[in-house]
């Protein structure tokens, strides 16, 4: 810490004087700092608006896509079938009888202590191509492990099966196909692929004590049952994706009674999409209004201070708002968007009128949907023109302001150097002044001393 030698000769508070001078000297830098703070506040507000406009652009672009509002819901008259909507659905109805569910093949071997020698196993699937598997040993654990690690599409599980007359513990191997459907059928042979081809291999599921517990089978449903048009549709799983366009049907249980699948337009979901689009636009308008509004406050003296929002007088923001407003409120083929539930108020805000939208959908759904998509297309263009990360007008303004902040920062740094140099100069000058005053005082004291001595000497001579 430095030692203060304030006013040792002059009696002045030189540190205070220097600080006051430096405060005056730093006024231009303080103005630059204030400008940085103000510009950063504007940038933050612009970034918030840009984010909301980007969200609006994405939402509007999604709604504007062909088929985006072709939304449907599917229902079933029975728990035996469930239906869900995918892409490309259309309104309609179909009666279906669930004839059978899909199943996987399950079989068990005869009870044994170890797999018969030789240990080679061959599994033949529905394609007829044999897959030869060679376990590490004849142990049932090794056999099961080899099958589970193969590409046969079959799992093997060792299951306890009592003891034989000699007290030896016996087991069975349960074989299950990994998938359902008729094509998942398989046969397990004791022997090599060559033995299978020669007809000398043993079918492990056909020997005494072995059995096929469940056969592989497809699920099947019957359309128009009992009529001349009756048609059976099969699937390797319990799911059918081709009964109706864009509808996935899943069978839960077999049923002799017809199940009705109904597909209808989902007005609730369409309304939610339209409402969400308006809400996204309104969110941007609310932010602009909040950042433009004039507010009043009271300063420390009790005086009322009026402050305008950061967007007040900003022509770029004003132009963006007007473009979005025009996109949402301009007529469509001579009809006001208000007829479709997108209502413009006297104060320039946008709201969604559920009742009007529902009435329009009930009266003319095709025209209503087309109108919403037209508005979405216009909003997408307006919002993108403002918020595009490369060419957006708002993006460009943000980039320009950020560049200004960087330039101001460089100027502030330059002022730091300039002020440090100025302060050092003032400290040297005041120190030199104190030294000079100290020397003058010393000289004055010495001169006074000499004069006093001279006066004394003269007085003594006169007396003598």
């Amino acid at each position: 810490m430095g030692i203060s030698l304030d006013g040792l000769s002059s009696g002045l508070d030189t540190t205070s004087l220097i600080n006051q001078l430096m405060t005056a000297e730093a006024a231009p830098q303080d103005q630059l700092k204030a400008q940085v703070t103000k510009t950063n506040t504007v940038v933050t507000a612009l970034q918030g608006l840009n984010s909301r406009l980007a969200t609006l652009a994405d939402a509007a672009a999604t709604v504007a896509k062909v088929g985006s509002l072709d939304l449907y819901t599917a229902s079933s008259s029975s728990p035996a079938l469930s239906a869900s909507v995918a892409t490309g659905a259309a309104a309609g109805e179909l009666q279906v009888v669930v004839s059978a569910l899909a199943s996987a093949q399950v079989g068990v071997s005869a009870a044994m202590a170890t797999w018969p020698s030789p240990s080679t196993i061959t599994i033949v699937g529905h394609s007829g191509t044999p897959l030869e598997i060679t376990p590490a040993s004849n142990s049932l654990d090794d056999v099961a492990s080899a099958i589970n690690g193969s590409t046969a599409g079959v799992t093997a599980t060792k299951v306890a099966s009592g003891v034989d007359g000699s007290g030896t513990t016996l087991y069975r191997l349960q074989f299950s196909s990994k998938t359902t459907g008729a094509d998942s059928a398989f046969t397990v042979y004791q022997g090599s692929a060559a033995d299978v081809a020669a007809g000398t291999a043993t079918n492990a599921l056909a020997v005494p004590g072995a059995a096929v517990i469940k056969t592989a089978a497809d699920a099947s449903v019957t359309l128009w049952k009992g009529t001349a048009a009756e048609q059976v549709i099969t699937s390797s799983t319990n799911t059918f994706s081709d009964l109706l366009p864009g509808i996935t049907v899943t069978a839960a249980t077999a049923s002799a009674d017809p199940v009705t699948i109904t597909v209808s337009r989902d007005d609730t979901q369409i309304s939610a999409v339209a409402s969400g689009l308006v809400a996204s636009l309104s969110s941007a308008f609310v932010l602009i209004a909040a950042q433009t509004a004039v507010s009043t406050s009271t300063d420390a003296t009790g005086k009322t201070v009026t402050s305008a929002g950061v967007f007040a007088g900003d022509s770029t923001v004003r132009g963006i708002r007007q473009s979005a407003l025009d996109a949402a409120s301009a007529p469509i083929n001579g009809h006001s968007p208000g007829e479709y539930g997108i209502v413009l108020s006297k104060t320039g805000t946008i709201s969604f009128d559920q009742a009007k939208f529902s009435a329009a959908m009930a009266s003319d759904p095709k025209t209503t949907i087309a109108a919403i998509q037209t508005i979405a297309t216009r909003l997408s263009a307006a919002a993108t023109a403002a918020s595009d990360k490369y060419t957006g007008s708002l993006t460009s303004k943000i980039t320009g302001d950020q560049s200004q902040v960087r330039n101001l920062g460089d100027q502030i740094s330059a002022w730091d150097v300039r002020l440090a140099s100025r302060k050092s100069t003032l400290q040297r000058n005041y120190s030199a002044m104190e030294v000079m005053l100290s020397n003058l005082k010393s000289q004055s004291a010495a001169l006074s001393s000499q004069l006093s001595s001279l006066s004394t000497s003269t007085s003594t001579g006169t007396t003598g």
Side-chain angles (χ1 to χ4, degrees):
M1 179 180 293
I3 299 175
S4 175
L5 300 177
D6 288 350
L8 291 179
S9 298
S10 66
L12 297 174
D13 185 353
T14 55
T15 297
S16 178
L17 287 172
I18 291 173
N19 287 339
Q20 292 178 38
L21 289 171
M22 290 307 301
T23 298
E25 294 274 359
Q29 186 190 49
D30 291 339
Q31 293 175 355
L32 292 175
K33 289 179 178 179
Q35 185 62 34
V36 167
T37 300
K38 180 179 179 181
T39 305
N40 277 331
T41 300
V42 173
V43 167
T44 299
L46 291 174
Q47 287 173 330
L49 177 58
N50 203 44
S51 177
R52 295 196 188 187
L53 288 172
T55 299
L56 172 61
D58 290 342
T62 299
V63 176
K65 289 180 180 177
V66 175
S68 66
L69 295 181
D70 292 339
L71 304 174
Y72 294 86
T73 182
S75 61
S76 170
S77 64
S78 168
L81 274 180
S82 62
S84 59
V85 178
T87 303
E93 186 176 284
L94 183 67
Q95 285 193 331
V96 178
V97 173
V98 183
S99 306
L101 298 181
S103 61
Q105 179 177 323
V106 179
V108 294
S109 70
M112 61 185 73
T114 59
W115 190 258
S117 294
S119 62
T120 302
I121 303 158
T122 300
I123 296 179
V124 180
H126 184 268
S127 66
T129 303
L131 177 66
E132 191 174 288
I133 301 170
T134 302
S137 72
N138 284 69
S139 93
L140 295 180
D141 288 323
D142 284 344
V143 171
S145 178
I147 292 173
N148 292 335
S150 74
T151 58
V154 175
T155 61
T157 306
K158 188 176 78 169
V159 182
S161 187
V163 296
D164 61 13
S166 64
T168 300
T169 301
L170 301 179
Y171 299 90
R172 295 176 187 267
L173 285 183
Q174 176 176 289
F175 304 95
S176 305
S177 56
K178 293 181 178 180
T179 58
T180 59
D183 287 350
S184 69
F186 62 89
T187 304
V188 180
Y189 290 98
Q190 298 169 1
S192 65
D195 294 334
V196 172
T200 58
T202 299
N203 183 345
L205 301 181
V207 299
V212 175
I213 306 301
K214 185 188 296 183
T215 58
D218 288 337
S220 64
V221 296
T222 304
L223 311 182
W224 313 294
K225 189 170 184 177
T227 71
E230 181 175 308
Q231 181 180 351
V232 176
I233 306 294
T234 61
S235 171
S236 61
T237 69
N238 290 324
T239 297
F240 298 81
S241 58
D242 52 2
L243 297 183
L244 289 170
I247 301 297
T248 298
V249 176
T250 302
T253 59
S255 173
D257 297 324
V259 178
T260 302
I261 301 169
T262 303
V263 183
S264 57
R265 191 181 66 240
D266 192 344
D267 286 356
T268 299
Q269 190 176 354
I270 296 172
S271 175
V273 172
S275 175
L277 181 63
V278 174
S280 185
L281 173 61
S282 180
S283 174
F285 282 178
V286 167
L287 177 60
I288 292 174
Q291 295 288 9
T292 305
V294 175
S295 61
T296 58
S297 59
T298 304
D299 63 16
T301 64
K303 182 180 179 181
T304 300
V305 179
T306 301
S307 302
V310 294
F311 290 164
D314 191 316
S315 60
T316 299
V317 173
R318 186 168 59 251
I320 289 170
R321 186 188 187 284
Q322 189 60 51
S323 295
L325 185 62
D326 291 344
S329 61
I332 305 159
N333 298 323
H335 293 272
S336 167
E339 297 178 34
Y340 309 108
I342 299 181
V343 181
L344 173 64
S345 72
K346 293 181 179 180
T347 58
T349 59
I350 293 288
S351 61
F352 184 74
D353 190 318
Q354 178 66 61
K356 286 187 176 182
F357 180 81
S358 297
M361 285 293 291
S363 174
D364 190 349
K366 184 177 180 180
T367 300
T368 302
I369 288 175
I372 295 299
Q373 291 194 297
T374 297
I375 293 171
T377 300
R378 298 190 310 209
L379 281 175
S380 175
T384 299
S387 65
D388 183 87
K389 63 181 179 180
Y390 299 112
T391 61
S393 58
L394 199 58
T395 304
S396 297
K397 182 172 178 58
I398 292 170
T399 301
D401 285 351
Q402 289 174 329
S403 177
Q404 181 184 2
V405 168
R406 288 192 294 272
N407 290 335
L408 289 171
D410 292 340
Q411 294 180 51
I412 290 170
S413 296
W415 267 99
D416 285 336
V417 175
R418 188 181 308 172
L419 291 172
S421 175
R422 177 59 175 159
K423 185 174 184 178
S424 177
T425 298
L426 288 172
Q427 288 173 333
R428 286 197 304 271
N429 289 343
Y430 274 98
S431 294
M433 181 191 73
E434 292 293 337
V435 171
M436 184 181 297
L437 287 174
S438 176
N439 290 337
L440 288 174
K441 285 185 176 182
S442 296
Q443 292 174 4
S444 176
L447 182 58
S448 295
S449 177
Q450 291 176 0
L451 290 173
S452 176
S453 298
L454 181 60
S455 175
T456 302
S457 174
T458 303
S459 298
T460 302
T462 302
T463 302

